[in-house]
Amino acid sequence: MTRRGTSPAFALVLMVLAGTVAYVGLAGLDQGLRAARGEGTPGVFTATALSCVRHPSHESCGCDGTFTADDGGPAREVTLHAAGRDTCVVGAEIAAVDAGSDTRVYGPDGSREWIVSALLLVGASVAVLWSAVQGVRGLRGGGPRRPGAVHGAGSPPG
């Protein structure tokens, strides 16, 4: 029984999908890094609503409200990223930073959102490398023979 490599078509499809995932990871990386460092437009977030969902191992909350930049820009409706029950008190004003998102702002402690982008990039890189190697092996006929492989009856190895 011969082991066949991955088909070149499958490797190409996997590389396209990995490229799409890498694009998503790259698109969020800059904003995630800015948020992690607390860079952006400083301002004040005023909480107007808190909604939480309890999962078996944790609780996830969303804190909606308005953000007003310190430079006097217009107030806009946003969500405070990574806010919990202790952080989001309706009516409370919280120092926040706008790192460039249209829909959310970040607390002064920053964010770990960049980790998701980094994991997407690493995963996509691994998938591209694996599919490239498998595609090349498929084009070469399954790669080199393993030592001790069974050959056809009466034929010499090699």
Side-chain angles (χ1 to χ4, degrees):
M1 174 152 94
T2 0
R3 180 176 178 256
R4 292 184 41 165
T6 303
S7 78
F10 177 76
L12 180 64
V13 169
L14 186 60
M15 288 176 72
V16 169
L17 288 174
T20 304
V21 169
Y23 175 77
V24 170
L26 278 174
L29 186 61
D30 179 53
Q31 181 179 308
L33 290 173
R34 288 171 44 95
R37 294 186 299 251
E39 294 176 355
T41 305
V44 175
F45 175 83
T46 305
T48 58
L50 172 69
S51 58
C52 296
V53 176
R54 186 171 294 279
H55 301 285
S57 62
H58 72 287
E59 182 176 64
S60 178
C61 295
C63 185
D64 296 324
T66 58
F67 175 78
T68 307
D70 286 348
D71 63 10
R76 59 190 176 95
E77 299 292 320
V78 294
T79 299
L80 180 64
H81 179 75
R85 288 185 186 274
D86 56 337
T87 309
C88 184
V89 177
V90 174
E93 292 185 346
I94 303 165
V97 175
D98 179 2
S101 173
D102 292 336
T103 59
R104 68 180 170 262
V105 295
Y106 301 87
D109 296 335
S111 167
R112 284 183 240 132
E113 210 171 30
W114 66 271
I115 296 172
V116 173
S117 293
L119 289 174
L120 287 174
L121 289 171
V122 167
S125 299
V126 168
V128 165
L129 288 173
W130 180 84
S131 62
V133 167
Q134 295 301 313
V136 168
R137 287 181 72 202
L139 289 173
R140 290 192 330 191
R145 289 187 173 182
R146 296 178 310 222
V150 176
H151 301 284
S155 65

